[in-house]
Amino acid sequence: MSKRSTFKPQTVMVIGAQWGDEGKGKIIDYLTSTVDYVVRFQGGNNAGHTVVVDGVVHKLHLIPSGVLYPKTRIVLGNGMVIDPEVLLSEMANFETKGFKLNLLISERAHVIFPFHIMMDGMIDEYKGTLGAGTTRRGIGPAYADKAERFGIRMIDLLDQRIFKEKFDQLFDLKKNTFRCLYGQRMNLNKNEIFRTYLNYGKKLRLYIGDVSLEVNRAIAAGKKILFEGAQGTMLDNDHGAYPHTTSSNTVAGAVCTGVGVGPNRIGDIIGVVKAYLSRVGAGPIPTEAKGQLGTYLRERGQEYGTTTGRPRRCGWVDLVQLRYACRINGLSSLAITKIDVLGGLKSIPVAVKYRYKTTTLTELPADLNVVRHCKPIYKTLPGWKNLTDSDFTNIIKKGYTALPPRMRDYMKFIADQTATPISLVSVGAERRATIRVQ
Ligand code: IMP
Ligand code: MG
């Protein structure tokens, strides 16, 4: 490896370097034992993290992965959109399991309403091949209202008069939009939703506060902070595969606006990279493996969406895309996940460039027509034998150098080609199946 990474900085950020579902939840859970705060800064319950501890599977959508450590303060930043019904049920679920919730919710985070969820599906269907295949959780329409300045924020739920003033206007606007633009009746009861959301506000009141103030004070007091990214770089609404993206900024820079911290407060930025590639939703993926190999990766890696259960589209690591992710996020190191899944393959293709008509591309194209028609140029690397659970148990005890040489060569190739060192390797779903690269 070209450089060492030690997690010394006071703040660490974990970002998806591909299309989401890289295994961020697991890496965040692994790192949480070393921090005081885990802070989310964008997205909502479109996210789905799976964390396995001692055989127990925890699925997370809104609540940061730090919830599994009782002393850790978990924070939902202003850059998020929050469905209070989902949040309350996730909170209840963790409380039933015996976890204490040390939770802070930004007063400035925006609220998702039932009409947002209804619109999400309608809009995506209207878009056809230009759609992203959304998770239909109302994320995009809620962010759109935020940008239009119709949005309702968490703090508004705590002030009945302000909430009524804003909700009356928003509800009527949506009703008209449904009728005039989509020719549909919005069959929702205004008073009932109003009362329900006021009640959500009452239940959440104790948790709602000024996130920027608390996080900055914590940094000043020397506390360690982990910023938890959701989705992945290619789903970023500016830098990703637009328009097949999500509606928030998912890249490292988004933490500043999504929490209210200055850029000079950011320490290490770890990009999580699945040892192959997966994407749930629609849009072109140059290195998608169709047919038998795609199915093999999906079944072997159990690649089904945590949020929607949809089968994920699988393929090979794309270095054009990864180099781009390193640049856009300023990644300090990579955490490689699910490398165990590739064991037993004779050879593993990795895309190093694209070909478009007669030209060779080394940088990610923005032109949708080029994206649709470019073809990856692969370098094929030799595979390694399949390892059993007990092989891995021994390897984890001994550390990185005990991994098969060809597996290390595969990771070294990725590190060299992206000029970014590898800091962590995950070889299984369990918390303990993680190896530091020292
Ligand atoms: P939305 O965020 O629900 O609007 O979905 C937009 C696109 O992002 C779709 O292609 C989704 O499948 C994808 N997406 C959203 N959240 C995630 C995630 O957490 N993991 C993977 N894909 C996601
Ligand atoms: Mg996920």
Side-chain angles (χ1 to χ4, degrees):
M1 298 297 120
S2 32
K3 209 167 70 182
R4 280 163 46 148
S5 176
T6 51
F7 306 115
K8 285 257 169 58
Q10 200 189 341
T11 68
V12 174
M13 198 183 314
V14 176
I15 291 287
Q18 295 156 312
W19 296 88
D21 305 314
E22 299 91 347
K24 293 178 293 297
K26 191 211 140 143
I27 299 296
I28 291 159
D29 170 71
Y30 176 79
L31 295 172
T32 298
S33 63
T34 65
V35 302
D36 304 294
Y37 279 74
V38 179
V39 183
R40 267 195 70 181
F41 54 93
Q42 44 73 227
N45 60 310
N46 48 350
H49 290 159
T50 308
V51 181
V52 186
V53 185
D54 299 329
V56 183
V57 179
H58 302 278
K59 297 212 186 260
L60 302 141
H61 297 287
L62 272 168
I63 294 194
S65 310
V67 67
L68 304 176
Y69 291 83
K71 285 201 186 126
T72 311
R73 182 91 158 138
I74 48 175
V75 181
L76 305 181
N78 60 278
M80 295 184 68
V81 286
I82 296 175
D83 183 331
E85 186 185 346
V86 174
L87 178 58
L88 283 162
S89 86
E90 219 170 311
M91 287 164 70
N93 178 29
F94 276 100
E95 274 165 347
T96 314
K97 283 184 183 169
F99 290 95
K100 207 181 133 285
L101 288 170
N102 189 3
L103 174 69
L104 174 66
I105 305 163
S106 171
E107 53 200 7
R108 291 177 166 85
H110 280 247
V111 180
I112 295 175
F113 286 91
F115 41 77
H116 291 135
I117 299 168
M118 290 165 75
M119 289 186 86
D120 215 356
M122 285 185 340
I123 295 171
D124 216 42
E125 268 165 34
Y126 176 84
K127 285 180 180 167
T129 51
L130 288 172
T134 88
T135 59
R136 302 189 175 209
R137 298 298 188 264
I139 310 292
Y143 274 119
D145 278 351
K146 173 181 173 179
E148 291 236 57
R149 281 134 302 140
F150 277 114
I152 291 174
R153 304 181 299 169
M154 292 304 289
I155 189 93
D156 300 330
L157 302 183
L158 306 186
D159 184 323
Q160 184 158 350
R161 273 167 57 192
I162 295 285
F163 180 33
K164 180 143 185 31
E165 185 183 339
K166 295 181 80 174
F167 184 72
D168 274 348
Q169 190 182 58
L170 184 63
F171 191 92
D172 294 345
L173 174 84
K174 294 298 166 193
K175 210 171 168 174
N176 285 327
T177 311
F178 268 61
R179 200 185 56 237
C180 303
L181 278 184
Y182 298 101
Q184 305 235 3
R185 249 173 71 86
M186 190 173 92
N187 250 338
L188 295 170
N189 184 321
K190 185 173 173 180
N191 284 332
E192 196 182 307
I193 296 176
F194 181 74
R195 278 197 311 273
T196 306
Y197 274 68
L198 260 188
N199 197 31
Y200 291 154
K202 282 200 186 104
K203 289 187 179 158
L204 293 170
R205 177 180 286 274
L206 279 178
Y207 300 98
I208 297 174
D210 188 334
V211 162
S212 169
L213 186 65
E214 181 167 334
V215 171
N216 279 280
R217 278 185 178 159
I219 294 173
K223 302 275 186 214
K224 291 194 90 176
I225 318 278
L226 196 161
F227 295 111
E228 168 172 334
Q231 290 86 43
T233 301
M234 292 310 289
L235 294 172
D236 182 277
N237 208 22
D238 279 81
H239 300 287
Y242 192 87
H244 310 288
T245 49
T246 188
S247 38
S248 66
N249 284 114
T250 61
V251 297
V255 78
C256 297
T257 52
V259 175
V261 290
N264 54 354
R265 294 290 179 270
I266 312 305
D268 259 5
I269 308 170
I270 301 172
V272 185
V273 179
K274 199 179 279 189
Y276 46 101
L277 180 142
S278 77
R279 193 251 202 267
V280 59
I285 313 168
T287 62
E288 181 167 12
K290 298 205 171 114
Q292 261 183 0
L293 269 171
T295 310
Y296 174 83
L297 289 173
R298 177 159 55 248
E299 293 313 316
R300 186 91 208 270
Q302 278 307 293
E303 298 294 348
Y304 292 89
T306 309
T307 301
T308 55
R310 290 179 288 180
R312 294 178 185 145
R313 298 156 65 195
C314 294
W316 309 112
V317 161
D318 178 345
L319 290 168
V320 181
Q321 183 268 308
L322 266 191
R323 283 192 296 261
Y324 180 78
C326 290
R327 163 159 60 87
I328 297 287
N329 293 297
L331 297 180
S332 357
S333 72
L334 305 178
I336 307 273
T337 61
K338 298 188 95 162
I339 194 142
D340 50 306
V341 171
L342 296 180
L345 286 175
K346 265 214 174 82
S347 58
I348 308 164
V350 178
V352 286
K353 293 175 189 166
Y354 298 156
R355 173 154 296 128
Y356 175 67
K357 293 189 178 161
T358 53
T359 53
T360 305
L361 305 177
T362 53
E363 300 299 333
L364 205 75
D367 182 336
L368 195 53
N369 187 47
V370 180
V371 175
R372 280 178 180 167
H373 296 109
C374 65
K375 297 269 175 279
I377 300 174
Y378 286 113
K379 178 172 171 67
T380 302
L381 300 175
W384 53 89
K385 76 169 178 131
N386 193 29
L387 300 168
T388 63
D389 285 352
S390 74
D391 290 336
F392 275 122
T393 306
N394 287 327
I395 289 170
I396 291 160
K397 276 188 215 138
K398 291 184 190 147
Y400 183 77
T401 49
L403 287 169
R406 282 179 176 175
M407 187 198 279
R408 281 183 282 140
D409 288 346
Y410 178 76
M411 291 191 276
K412 186 175 184 308
F413 185 71
I414 294 174
D416 289 347
Q417 289 283 315
T418 56
T420 310
I422 290 168
S423 52
L424 288 169
V425 182
S426 167
V427 295
E430 278 281 348
R431 185 183 278 168
R432 60 177 171 268
T434 313
I435 300 170
R436 270 190 189 213
V437 184
Q438 302 287 351

